[in-house]
Amino acid sequence: MTEGGGGNGVGRAGLIGLGVLAAGAAAGVAIERLTLGRARRRARQELDAAAPFGSLRGRPRKVAAADGTALYVEVDEPDEVVPGAPTVVFCHGYCLNQDSFHFQRAALRGGLRLVFWDQRSHGRSDRSRSYLDGMPATIDQLGGDLKTVLDTVVPTGPIVLVGHSMGGMTVMALAEQHPELFAPSDHGGRVVAVALIGTTAGDWDSIDLGLSSAGMKVWRRVGPGVVKLLGSQVGVVEATRRAGADIAAVFYRRFSFGNGGKDVDPGIARFAEQLLDSTPIDVVAEFYPVFSAHDKAGALAALPPLPVLVLAGTDDLLTPASHSAAIARTLPGAELELLPGAGHLVLLERSDEVDRQLARLLRRTGLPLPEQVRELAADQP
């Protein structure tokens, strides 16, 4: 990937790219009429104190990836085991962690065995050892991590995989590497259903991120170099990031939710800010290049025998709904659900609908399910 031309050219290009984004942020600040200073900080503190989001915890485990990176996993055991019910494994997105599935966890816990894990370098997992040793991050490596988690924490029984954003890419990588897991159960397969939420099978560089054609042309040319440069200046960037919390909040809402987050509960918007703020800038830089290289359209060939849910918000700027529609077109048996007006963090923004669709996917497996899941699947919107 290009780094903006090298030498002083990188610096100039970086400033141009940052200027494009800063102009958008400044406009957003003017439109949002954000409260300044202590009042804004006090409002955040009140939301933090009142909101339960991200508070659900399971039994913690550490799983060693192939390169020795310790992956943090939590397991929620059911109150009463339903024989034959699947284990549901959740794979979170870029710059997030397992807590992004807070609402889905709340809706399904107590009835099913649930597994949540933080992808390498994210959340409570350790920083990627191979990256620290000079190897680039890859989606294929994340697929290998998921296989290790399954082997260690879900060694037997049927599995339902739920992947959001980068987590959906992780599921695709696993399907490419281990198609036998996705085979019919009478042929030894163990994955019985898949949910792909707000994700893409490739062609990342075609996404315009909601920018004008001119702005996107600049960002495509200089963006990777800007992100790499910022990732090398962790101390300065993190200090500036904290000082510019109001501007960051505008970015987060714009790229996380539909309609710039205007219709989202303030507590949920604040929770999204916390998730994104918790990801250090060098981790942002570590994974940013993987999306241009991501191409797993061929891996979808492993999925047609299975019930598949493809779900996205129609206003998703990061992984547009057209990419979900393209995935669904390659999977004749898939159910495509596009939620009008929702953005990239649809699992937070429209949690009730996402919960209901996941329950209906579980019902499509034909496996025994607890009553609470059957009732949720039967709910009308």
Side-chain angles (χ1 to χ4, degrees), residues 6-355:
N8 292 332
V10 171
R12 289 195 300 272
L15 289 174
I16 293 171
L18 288 174
V20 171
L21 296 178
V29 170
I31 294 170
E32 294 289 321
R33 302 179 65 87
L34 293 171
T35 307
L36 301 177
R38 287 175 291 182
R40 180 68 174 170
R41 289 194 295 272
R42 185 166 58 250
R44 287 196 183 99
Q45 291 167 357
E46 291 173 356
L47 288 171
D48 295 348
F53 310 128
S55 61
L56 301 178
R57 298 268 67 88
R59 177 169 54 87
R61 295 193 59 173
K62 283 291 184 80
V63 173
D67 65 349
T69 300
L71 304 173
Y72 180 79
V73 181
E74 289 187 3
V75 181
D76 289 7
E77 299 289 355
D79 297 333
E80 183 177 345
V81 175
V82 176
T87 296
V88 187
V89 181
F90 293 82
C91 308
H92 70 79
Y94 176 52
C95 296
L96 300 169
N97 62 51
Q98 62 179 263
D99 292 344
S100 61
F101 290 109
H102 172 85
F103 291 104
Q104 292 69 50
R105 190 173 197 164
L108 299 176
R109 71 183 337 220
L112 290 168
R113 188 169 191 259
L114 310 178
V115 173
F116 302 86
W117 64 294
D118 292 338
Q119 304 226 45
R120 61 174 56 228
S121 296
H122 291 72
R124 299 170 182 84
S125 288
D126 287 353
R127 191 69 190 273
S128 172
R129 287 192 180 184
S130 58
Y131 183 79
L132 294 177
D133 288 340
M135 299 292 291
T138 67
I139 296 296
D140 288 336
Q141 185 177 50
L142 300 182
D145 290 348
L146 175 55
K147 179 62 161 59
T148 299
V149 170
L150 297 181
D151 288 345
T152 307
V153 183
V154 200
T156 61
I159 299 167
V160 173
L161 295 175
V162 179
H164 169 245
S165 188
M166 188 175 74
M169 302 176 196
T170 300
V171 172
M172 295 176 209
L174 176 70
E176 182 176 66
Q177 295 164 14
H178 296 281
E180 72 279 2
L181 288 175
F182 298 78
S185 57
D186 57 355
H187 286 72
R190 295 188 55 217
V191 177
V192 296
V194 172
L196 300 173
I197 302 174
T199 192
T200 178
D203 199 22
W204 165 262
D205 288 333
S206 71
I207 298 172
D208 64 16
L209 304 177
L211 298 176
S212 67
S213 58
M216 196 58 212
K217 185 179 296 184
V218 171
W219 182 248
R220 285 196 184 107
R221 180 164 58 87
V222 307
V226 171
V227 174
K228 183 175 182 179
L229 176 64
L230 295 176
S232 69
Q233 304 294 325
V234 179
V236 173
V237 173
E238 292 300 330
T240 305
R241 193 182 195 179
R242 290 189 294 272
D246 287 341
I247 292 177
V250 173
F251 276 119
Y252 293 157
R253 290 198 297 273
R254 172 169 170 75
F255 289 103
S256 298
F257 306 115
N259 195 27
K262 294 182 178 69
D263 304 321
V264 176
D265 181 291
I268 293 175
R270 174 59 182 156
F271 177 47
E273 290 177 31
Q274 291 174 316
L275 289 170
L276 295 165
D277 269 337
S278 69
T279 306
I281 189 64
D282 49 338
V283 174
V284 176
E286 176 181 342
F287 282 88
Y288 185 80
V290 308
F291 302 119
S292 287
H294 170 63
D295 181 3
K296 289 291 182 282
L300 299 174
L303 304 184
L306 304 177
V308 177
L309 168 66
V310 183
L311 186 149
T314 60
D315 288 3
D316 188 333
L317 297 178
L318 298 181
T319 51
S322 59
H323 284 239
S324 288
I327 291 173
R329 282 196 298 271
T330 70
L331 303 171
E335 290 193 357
L336 175 64
E337 294 291 337
L338 301 180
L339 302 188
H344 189 62
L345 292 188
V346 62
L347 64 174
L348 297 178
E349 185 176 7
R350 303 282 279 277
S351 59
D352 287 349
E353 293 168 81
V354 173
D355 298 346

